[in-house]
Amino acid sequence: MRYSYGLTSALLVGGAAISLITGNPAGAQVAQNDDSQMARVVPRAGAPESFADLTAQLQPAVVNISTRQRIQVPTQQNPFAGTPFEGLFGNRGGNQAQPTTREAQSLGSGFIISADGYVVTNNHVIAPQGKGEVEEITVTTTDGTEYPAKLIGNDSSSDLAVLKISGPKAFPFVHFGDSSQARVGDWVIAIGNPFALGGTVTSGIVSAVYRSTGTGSAYDRYIQTDASINRGNSGGPLFDMQGNVIGINNAIFSPSGGSVGIGFAIPAEIAAPIVEKLRTGQEIQRGYLGVQIQPVAGDLADSLNLPQNRGEFVQSVEPGQAADKAGIKPGDVVTKVNGQDVTNDQTLSFLVANIAPGTRIPIELYREGERRTVTLTVGKRPTDEELAQSQLFNGDNQPDEDSSGGAQSGAMTQDLGLQLSPMTPRYAQQLGVSADAGGLVILDVDANSDAGQKGIQPGDIVVTANYKTVDTPAALESIVAAAKAAGRETVLLRIQRRGRPLTYVPIRLR
């Protein structure tokens, strides 16, 4: 379960509510939450006397999900490297510490959506931790039977994943309901495995629908509930009193790591279309404008003489993207997208992300106090990795946080402990260098490497290595290989950093 001292980041995506239609094996039973089954177990109207019958009917379709992972852990470097005492540390090779691995586990919940064994959970339940690799996924049903699971598809943006298990007979399953019908105050129950306590049931009410947690994500919309949700509940279902899965438990607000009565679930109407695409191997496409925005609130709203929390302010426009082509400019305030108001709960990013790329839509905006309408063709949203690269550096040359948790792409030079990418026009603009600048942009630095110890930072540019120009990671690797072949333990890099003169830095190889 993801949690923090603030609201946990959520990466969600929208879509029309659908019920998953799955091919059931011959002779398979109906869904555990089929109307014919639910008629005899749902609580009476008003405050229920008991959730026991409802729980007994639904619980067989809820599963425990565990993973076994291999995590890369850097070993401790020789603190005496480069001194006469380096041999005392037991590392005769000097500062050549190599990373080791350790085994790790994760635990979460999920639910079966078809009799032939498709299982839905959160992506972060089965995603590797840091620089790791998932070696095994196991699904455990309520009767204690363990099944090896195959990852069918996952989507980090919406934090959803689909697994597949196989067994000798049909599995009990449930299907999605229509979360758009949920109202504040409706009773709900959550079933999952908090703290590895399998089959735990908690109850509460819907506290808010379509709650934005303020992360700025394009898919930041949740059902908020006070049904107790804790670590291990991630990926488990949130049921209404008719037995419909109206949400997938995903995140909590917590100052301590435990439930304080504020939990968040991905609405079924958002999750179900993505799950179906993952299950059938379809590409997930989302709309994109190519703008940097912020809410119209506080002093910004006052300075524009506009109502608070209505519309979003365009800070910058990405050249060549949909907004730029339509003539949207920095300083504009977008108030409507395709006839829908832009608000705190329906952000510009959320509305656009749920429009198919290639669709022509009207955009209403204010420009210097005048109302205008432009028509644009929605672009295709880049991958999380591409977005992480495009937003990599802030004004201090430090990498911006990647709320999706996705790794930044780029070649990793293990001998130097540097993750590198060739210079691009976008990087050049962000780093304040000329558009035709060369060199390699440093995306990440292993803190345990000599480069990390000597202050090399993300955003620095490697201009030369051993006095030779480098414009590709392969070119740098070649120079490193030649140095090692010659018996040299260091490579001399020339580093450019914004606001400072070019500097030569000798980096010891690992």
Side-chain angles (χ1 to χ4, degrees):
M1 174 53 57
R2 299 182 300 169
Y3 67 95
S4 67
Y5 289 92
L7 293 172
T8 354
S9 63
L11 297 166
L12 309 175
V13 67
I18 65 172
S19 293
L20 293 182
I21 303 174
T22 56
N24 298 332
Q29 76 275 29
V30 297
Q32 297 295 112
N33 54 358
D34 185 86
D35 289 343
S36 64
Q37 303 296 311
M38 299 309 303
R40 58 187 176 82
V41 297
V42 294
R44 64 179 176 83
E49 293 179 336
S50 172
F51 297 109
D53 290 339
L54 187 66
T55 299
Q57 182 68 26
L58 299 172
Q59 201 165 39
V62 183
V63 298
N64 169 282
I65 297 174
S66 60
T67 70
R68 184 164 56 86
Q69 304 179 12
R70 183 63 57 182
I71 307 298
Q72 189 179 96
V73 181
T75 57
Q76 185 179 3
Q77 285 189 304
N78 188 340
F80 303 109
T83 75
F85 304 104
E86 67 180 8
L88 299 178
F89 192 69
N91 183 1
R92 300 288 178 179
N95 193 25
Q96 298 183 19
Q98 297 296 320
T100 60
T101 61
R102 64 175 175 85
E103 190 172 282
Q105 294 181 330
S106 68
L107 188 68
S109 306
F111 55 100
I112 306 172
I113 60 169
S114 68
D116 53 348
Y118 283 95
V119 178
V120 175
T121 187
N122 284 150
N123 180 62
H124 74 261
V125 170
I126 54 89
Q129 304 171 12
K131 295 180 179 179
E133 179 181 354
V134 175
E135 296 182 333
E136 183 180 88
I137 303 174
T138 301
V139 169
T140 305
T141 55
T142 52
D143 62 3
T145 305
E146 294 184 351
Y147 298 91
K150 177 183 178 182
L151 176 62
I152 299 300
N154 60 315
D155 178 49
S156 60
S157 294
S158 58
D159 197 21
L160 293 170
V162 175
L163 311 175
K164 179 69 168 64
I165 58 176
S166 298
K169 59 182 181 180
F171 292 99
F173 66 98
V174 292
H175 47 228
F176 284 105
D178 184 2
S179 59
S180 68
Q181 301 302 309
R183 300 185 305 163
V184 174
D186 281 347
W187 282 99
V188 289
I189 61 172
I191 305 178
N193 303 279
F195 304 110
L197 301 173
T200 296
V201 182
T202 56
S203 67
I205 62 171
V206 174
S207 303
V209 293
Y210 302 136
R211 173 73 77 194
S212 172
T213 58
T215 63
S217 165
Y219 316 111
D220 184 15
R221 293 180 83 180
Y222 281 117
I223 293 175
Q224 181 183 328
T225 178
D226 67 347
S228 183
I229 295 173
N230 289 283
R231 289 184 181 180
N233 272 114
S234 280
L238 185 71
F239 291 105
D240 65 14
M241 290 299 98
Q242 285 69 50
N244 299 311
V245 179
I246 62 168
I248 302 175
N249 299 320
N250 180 261
I252 61 174
F253 173 89
S254 176
S256 63
S259 176
V260 293
I262 301 178
F264 300 97
I266 304 171
E269 64 179 301
I270 289 176
I274 303 171
V275 167
E276 178 66 3
K277 288 183 178 181
L278 292 174
R279 192 180 69 83
T280 56
Q282 300 178 52
E283 181 184 3
I284 298 175
Q285 295 187 350
R286 303 177 174 99
Y288 187 68
L289 294 188
V291 292
Q292 295 293 320
I293 54 178
Q294 74 176 82
V296 177
D299 291 341
L300 179 60
D302 292 339
S303 68
L304 296 169
N305 195 28
L306 291 175
Q308 297 279 343
N309 301 315
R310 288 293 184 271
E312 290 191 288
F313 185 82
V314 178
Q315 287 284 7
S316 63
V317 179
E318 189 175 340
Q321 292 293 342
D324 180 49
K325 293 177 180 178
I328 294 178
K329 300 179 179 180
D332 289 347
V333 177
V334 179
T335 57
K336 285 190 177 183
V337 174
N338 203 26
Q340 294 183 279
D341 290 330
V342 177
T343 66
N344 284 350
D345 291 332
Q346 292 203 136
T347 65
L348 174 62
S349 297
F350 179 83
L351 291 172
V352 173
N354 293 292
I355 299 174
T359 306
R360 288 185 60 81
I361 60 170
I363 301 286
E364 294 186 22
L365 54 84
Y366 279 102
R367 179 177 297 166
E368 298 179 0
E370 296 183 1
R371 187 188 300 271
R372 302 191 180 198
T373 300
V374 300
T375 301
L376 57 74
T377 301
V378 177
K380 180 181 176 181
R381 184 178 179 86
T383 65
D384 288 339
E385 289 77 14
E386 291 169 340
L387 286 173
Q389 278 200 358
S390 68
Q391 301 172 358
L392 183 60
F393 306 106
N394 62 24
D396 298 323
N397 268 17
Q398 296 298 319
D400 290 332
E401 291 184 4
D402 178 11
S403 61
S404 69
Q408 298 159 354
S409 60
M412 186 70 183
T413 303
Q414 297 291 347
D415 291 306
L416 296 174
L418 301 175
Q419 188 175 6
L420 303 155
S421 173
M423 180 66 70
T424 66
R426 181 176 294 171
Y427 283 157
Q429 181 182 17
Q430 293 169 337
L431 295 173
V433 298
S434 64
D436 58 352
L440 295 173
V441 180
I442 297 176
L443 305 181
D444 195 14
V445 182
D446 185 344
N448 292 311
S449 68
D450 192 47
Q453 296 295 320
K454 290 179 176 176
I456 303 299
Q457 302 174 5
D460 289 348
I461 303 169
V462 179
V463 179
T464 67
N466 285 350
Y467 301 104
K468 295 180 180 179
T469 300
V470 288
D471 290 320
T472 66
L476 179 57
E477 289 278 12
S478 178
I479 294 171
V480 169
K484 293 176 72 174
R488 297 168 62 178
E489 296 185 351
T490 60
V491 169
L492 185 63
L493 302 183
R494 198 178 193 196
I495 301 295
Q496 180 178 357
R497 181 178 298 170
R498 182 158 52 184
R500 297 187 183 182
L502 287 165
T503 304
Y504 284 102
V505 183
I507 303 299
R508 184 177 291 273
L509 302 177
R510 299 198 293 184

